[in-house]
């Protein structure tokens, strides 16, 4: 650092906090360490009795923390996000709409492996609401070598590290299977639960039908549900391996291409997901969705609502962390099993 005349300090970076005291009115740091002196600051500093200031000696190839944060922001910011101002070298991003938050995890790890800088995000693949904090970023020291920010840009690549996909699927049809429900022997307590979960993502249930048992009956009810124009098809019950449980066979017979029947998640192992040729998703929901706070359905539904294709590989990846601990009541937006 070096000592310079206050009048010559414009554009320089302060090395320490400068406190201003106004009797009975104010006593605090008027200028913080790292502040870049602006022309309007000079009269204030002189009024504080500061005729000389200790400032950083900025050398070629070095960046102030604020500029470093701006460059990290450029690697992250995308549509449907709002940024904060720079405060003490840090910038935050918030959601400007409800949607599915996605992170390019491998590239993020590559950026964070570079010394003296950091980007912290909430978990990717999760539902967020407008106003939720998505990420924060900063460089660690007050000044940083520009080559490290250049390396971060190369590690991130040309695509933003973050993405927020708004909900786009708006309608659903439910096919409640089981002869006991169709005959009225028991009350349908499954459909209300599913409708509530759908509504949290802005999805309206426009059709509910009762297929009874049998592969042919289930497939026929699904075909009728598709004729309603619903953007999501959901079949409740009949997903176990009992001989009378025909929902998976009915979904297959209806023409869906199955992504998975079974998932490494508890509760929810007997889950089925498929897609029709026009991209409409269909799900077979196991009975646990009816009574458990969080299941595989709560993990997959945000992806479906945002019309992001769910792959077998992603379903497989849920195994690590796929055990619900039942540690707290679950409310939307749901944290994946309380983690």
């Amino acid at each position: 650092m070096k000592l310079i005349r206050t009048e010559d300090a414009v554009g320089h970076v302060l090395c320490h906090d400068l406190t201003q005291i106004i009797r009975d009115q104010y006593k605090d740091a008027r200028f913080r360490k790292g502040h870049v002196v602006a022309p309007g600051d000079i009269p204030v500093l002189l009024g504080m009795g500061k005729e000389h200031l200790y400032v950083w000696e900025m050398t070629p190839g070095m960046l102030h923390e604020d500029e470093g944060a701006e460059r990290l922001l450029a690697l992250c910011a995308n549509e449907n996000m709002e940024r904060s101002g720079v405060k003490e070298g840090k910038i935050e991003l918030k959601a400007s709409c409800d949607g599915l938050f996605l992170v390019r995890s491998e590239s993020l790890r590559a950026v964070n492996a570079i010394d003296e800088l950091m980007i912290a995000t909430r978990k990717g693949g999760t539902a967020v609401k407008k106003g939720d904090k998505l990420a924060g970023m900063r460089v660690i020291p007050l000044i940083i070598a520009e080559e490290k920010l250049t390396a971060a840009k190369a590690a991130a690549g040309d695509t933003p590290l973050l993405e927020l996909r708004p909900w786009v699927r708006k309608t659903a049809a439910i096919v409640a299977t089981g002869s006991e429900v169709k005959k009225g022997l028991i009350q349908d307590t499954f459909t209300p639960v599913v409708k509530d979960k759908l509504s949290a993502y802005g999805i309206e249930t426009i059709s509910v039908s009762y297929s009874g048992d049998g592969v042919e009956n289930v497939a026929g009810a699904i075909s009728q549900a598709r004729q309603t124009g619903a953007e999501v098809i959901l079949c409740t019950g009949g997903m176990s391996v009992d001989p009378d449980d025909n929902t998976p066979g009915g979904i297959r017979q209806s023409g869906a291409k199955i992504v998975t029947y079974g998932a490494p998640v508890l509760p929810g192992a007997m889950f089925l997901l498929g897609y029709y040729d026009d991209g409409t998703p269909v799900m077979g929901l196991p009975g646990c969705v009816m009574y458990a706070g969080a299941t595989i359905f709560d993990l997959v539904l945000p992806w479906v609502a945002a019309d992001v294709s769910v792959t077998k590989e992603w379903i497989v990846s849920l195994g690590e962390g796929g055990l619900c601990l039942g540690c707290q009541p679950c409310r939307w937006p749901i944290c994946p099993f309380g983690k």
Side-chain angles (χ1 to χ4, degrees), residues 73-79 81 102-104 107 156-163:
L73 174 70
L75 306 181
C76 299
N78 208 334
E79 294 180 331
M81 300 177 188
L102 300 172
V103 179
R104 291 200 297 115
S107 296
D158 297 329
T159 304
L161 294 172
L162 311 180
E163 187 177 7

Side-chain angles (χ1 to χ4, degrees), residues 123 264-266 299 317-324 336-337 339:
K123 185 175 176 61
V265 175
L266 292 173
L299 301 180
S317 75
L318 297 177
E320 181 179 353
L323 176 65
C324 176
F337 296 155
K339 298 176 178 64

Side-chain angles (χ1 to χ4, degrees), residues 58-279:
M58 297 298 290
T59 57
M62 302 298 291
L63 298 176
H64 181 259
E65 62 178 352
D66 289 354
E67 174 61 22
E70 292 286 353
R71 295 205 185 187
L72 292 176
L73 174 70
L75 306 181
C76 299
N78 208 334
E79 294 180 331
N80 305 314
M81 300 177 188
E82 296 176 355
R83 58 159 293 171
S84 70
V86 186
K87 183 177 181 181
E88 298 178 350
K90 182 176 72 175
I91 301 175
E92 294 182 344
L93 277 172
K94 291 185 177 181
S96 60
C97 68
D98 297 354
L100 176 69
F101 178 60
L102 300 172
V103 179
R104 291 200 297 115
S105 302
E106 186 175 343
S107 296
L108 177 63
R109 287 193 292 269
V111 171
N112 280 326
I114 299 170
D115 290 339
E116 297 189 336
L117 55 83
M118 57 78 63
I119 300 172
T121 78
R122 71 190 301 142
K123 185 175 176 61
T126 55
V128 299
K129 285 188 174 182
K130 180 179 180 179
D132 282 350
K133 189 182 297 185
L134 303 178
M137 60 222 64
R138 67 173 304 156
V139 298
I140 307 304
L142 184 61
I143 58 173
I144 187 172
E146 185 174 13
E147 63 183 15
K148 293 189 175 181
L149 277 304
T150 302
K153 187 176 187 305
D158 297 329
T159 304
L161 294 172
L162 311 180
E163 187 177 7
L164 180 54
R165 299 280 292 268
W167 312 135
V168 294
R169 294 191 181 273
K170 300 299 183 182
T171 58
I174 298 174
V175 176
T177 68
S179 60
E180 69 278 16
V181 178
K182 184 174 183 179
K183 294 177 180 178
L185 300 177
I186 66 170
Q187 182 181 358
D188 178 15
T189 56
F190 207 149
T191 295
V193 172
V194 176
K195 290 174 71 172
D196 284 347
K197 288 180 179 289
L198 291 170
S199 66
Y201 297 90
I203 300 176
E204 178 188 3
T205 301
I206 60 173
S207 170
V208 177
S209 59
Y210 297 91
S211 68
D213 290 324
V215 171
E216 294 288 343
N217 291 334
V218 173
I222 293 173
S223 296
Q224 292 178 5
R226 292 196 65 201
Q227 292 176 14
T228 66
E231 297 170 279
V232 183
I233 306 295
L234 299 147
C235 298
T236 62
M239 292 301 300
S240 72
V241 295
D242 293 340
D244 291 339
D245 290 337
N246 303 133
T247 303
I251 293 174
R252 288 191 178 92
Q253 187 165 312
S254 71
K257 295 179 180 178
I258 307 302
V259 173
T260 186
Y261 175 31
V265 175
L266 292 173
M270 296 295 184
F271 170 79
L272 184 149
L273 172 70
Y275 288 93
Y276 294 100
D277 289 339
D278 62 1

Side-chain angles (χ1 to χ4, degrees), residues 1-79:
M1 62 183 178
K2 63 179 179 179
L3 186 67
I4 63 173
R5 295 174 63 248
T6 298
E7 291 90 341
D8 299 330
V10 173
H12 287 272
V13 180
L14 296 179
C15 286
H16 54 81
D17 294 350
L18 296 175
T19 300
Q20 183 180 40
I21 301 175
I22 302 176
R23 185 179 177 182
D24 298 328
Q25 295 183 41
Y26 185 88
K27 182 182 178 180
D28 199 359
R30 181 62 185 270
F31 299 100
R32 296 284 184 185
K33 174 184 176 181
H35 176 74
V36 180
V37 179
D41 298 334
I42 302 302
V44 179
L45 289 164
L46 293 173
M48 294 167 58
K50 305 296 182 182
E51 296 185 355
H52 294 83
L53 301 171
Y54 281 102
V55 297
W56 288 97
E57 294 185 78
M58 297 298 290
T59 57
M62 302 298 291
L63 298 176
H64 181 259
E65 62 178 352
D66 289 354
E67 174 61 22
E70 292 286 353
R71 295 205 185 187
L72 292 176
L73 174 70
L75 306 181
C76 299
N78 208 334
E79 294 180 331

